[in-house]
Amino acid sequence: MALFQSSTRIIPDVANVPRHIAIIMDGNGRWAKKRFLPRVAGHQRGVETVREVVRACHEMGVEYLTLFAFSSENWRRPADEVSFLMQLFLKMLEREVSKLHNNNIRLKIIGDRSRFDDTLNRYIEDAEALTANNTNLTLTVAANYGGRWDIMQAMRAMVRDRPELAGAFEEADLAPYLSMSYAPEPDLFIRTGGEQRISNFLLWQLAYAELYFTDTLWPAFDADALRAAIASYQARERRFGRTSEQVQAGGQAQAASQDERHA
Ligand code: IPE
Ligand code: IPE
Ligand code: MG
């Protein structure tokens, strides 16, 4: 299993281009409403933005892109919208997976799959299996995902596998059970659509992500908007708890850090 640096246990290496970008794709409904279209037309149009952003990340050398497609709370929406979104997800898997595979992109789906029907679950499993060994971008789609769900499922799985730990477990014991243990923590978090909240996305993993909010609605977001977010990221100083002076003196090497290796 690959080893990744936990931002709270070791100071991660910081690259000029974020290694991992996590996005809350928000504003589809409002985009449609502004055009006197049904909300679902915004979701449909949002798929095109997904294609453009995946391509742009790939070209810019981003290694991990994680997209929030459906939250554990989105079931509260009207049944016809929920059902449209599930259909759209299925169609995306049907149509796009071979293209992703041809581009050497690995696809991962995170979230609670127990509420999906068998057909959808079969498509998810097949898509992950087909692309598992691809080495370009890792594209993760968060579907029926909630940050609290993630922490809870990780706890349950850890306690089941390692009952001997009882109450004496560390962060590093829990980390391999979290949904995104295969990826470094997000460097850059983007939320489109103007709201400034996390909405139960990657609560654990966003500990030290740089947050970027834009009023642009998701269907109107594009490669240039992504470049603007990355430029904002590049102008920031990531201190991870240290002082600015330490960072400028090359604090990465000096900082006392604990090794977070786990099997
Ligand atoms: C985000 O757009 C897509 C999903 C949550 C599935 P919204 O549907 O939330 O769009 P707004 O926020 O109502 O404009
Ligand atoms: C967050 O957007 C979830 C996704 C984009 C999938 P929401 O539109 O559901 O978030 P809230 O309800 O405004 O917080
Ligand atoms: Mg919304």
Side-chain angles (χ1 to χ4, degrees):
M1 186 188 194
L3 302 174
F4 287 107
Q5 299 160 330
S6 152
S7 59
T8 47
R9 305 189 75 243
I10 202 165
I11 297 161
D13 302 325
V14 171
N16 190 40
V17 172
R19 284 185 78 189
H20 184 176
I21 300 181
I23 307 183
I24 297 188
M25 309 183 288
D26 197 19
N28 294 348
R30 279 164 286 164
W31 181 89
K33 200 173 168 196
K34 274 188 6 193
R35 288 162 181 76
F36 306 101
L37 295 168
R39 290 179 54 79
V40 295
H43 299 318
Q44 190 87 56
R45 185 57 186 263
V47 171
E48 283 169 41
T49 309
V50 171
R51 287 196 196 100
E52 179 163 352
V53 167
V54 169
R55 200 178 318 119
C57 282
H58 188 174
E59 284 166 11
M60 286 186 251
V62 173
E63 294 169 64
Y64 299 86
L65 172 66
T66 302
L67 302 175
F68 203 7
F70 192 89
S71 77
S72 46
E73 289 69 54
N74 284 145
W75 298 102
R76 295 167 180 166
R77 295 192 176 196
D80 55 350
E81 182 171 343
V82 169
S83 136
F84 183 93
L85 286 166
M86 290 298 145
Q87 291 299 323
L88 191 62
F89 187 27
L90 190 68
K91 262 193 244 162
M92 281 286 283
L93 290 170
E94 247 169 7
R95 286 184 198 160
E96 308 289 328
V97 170
S98 59
K99 286 184 231 162
L100 295 175
H101 187 50
N102 290 338
N103 285 310
N104 199 16
I105 293 173
R106 174 167 70 148
L107 181 66
K108 298 281 242 177
I109 311 296
I110 55 167
D112 181 359
R113 298 180 190 183
S114 64
R115 273 184 88 167
F116 297 156
D117 65 31
D118 293 345
T119 312
L120 184 52
N121 275 321
R122 206 175 50 248
Y123 271 93
I124 291 174
E125 283 160 30
D126 290 351
E128 288 191 328
L130 176 71
T131 63
N133 297 317
N134 291 345
T135 51
N136 276 344
L137 179 72
T138 295
L139 171 64
T140 301
V141 175
N144 194 18
Y145 179 87
R148 291 189 181 178
W149 165 83
D150 195 359
I151 294 167
M152 293 307 293
Q153 67 77 27
M155 291 274 198
R156 281 189 217 106
M158 180 190 65
V159 169
R160 187 190 59 225
D161 287 357
R162 304 180 62 194
E164 76 283 1
L165 287 175
F169 54 85
E170 308 279 342
E171 191 194 302
D173 296 314
L174 186 68
Y177 293 97
L178 291 159
S179 294
M180 296 213 71
S181 59
Y182 57 85
E185 292 172 30
D187 299 294
L188 172 60
F189 160 95
I190 300 172
R191 183 173 186 143
T192 63
E195 310 299 346
Q196 302 196 357
R197 54 181 172 251
I198 305 282
S199 298
N200 198 16
F201 194 26
L202 301 160
L203 297 179
W204 177 284
Q205 297 85 347
L206 290 173
Y208 271 104
E210 294 297 329
L211 308 181
Y212 180 86
F213 299 95
T214 170
D215 289 338
T216 304
L217 306 170
W218 179 251
F221 194 81
D222 60 10
D224 283 339
L226 179 70
R227 277 189 277 274
I230 293 175
S232 162
Y233 169 85
Q234 288 169 337
R236 301 182 191 189
E237 182 180 64
R238 301 188 74 192
R239 290 192 285 276
F240 298 101
R242 295 163 297 170
T243 65
S244 189
E245 290 73 14
Q246 285 175 299
V247 176
Q248 269 142 39
Q252 308 246 22
Q254 303 157 10
S257 59
Q258 222 180 316
D259 201 313
E260 55 133 8
R261 265 158 241 269
H262 49 71

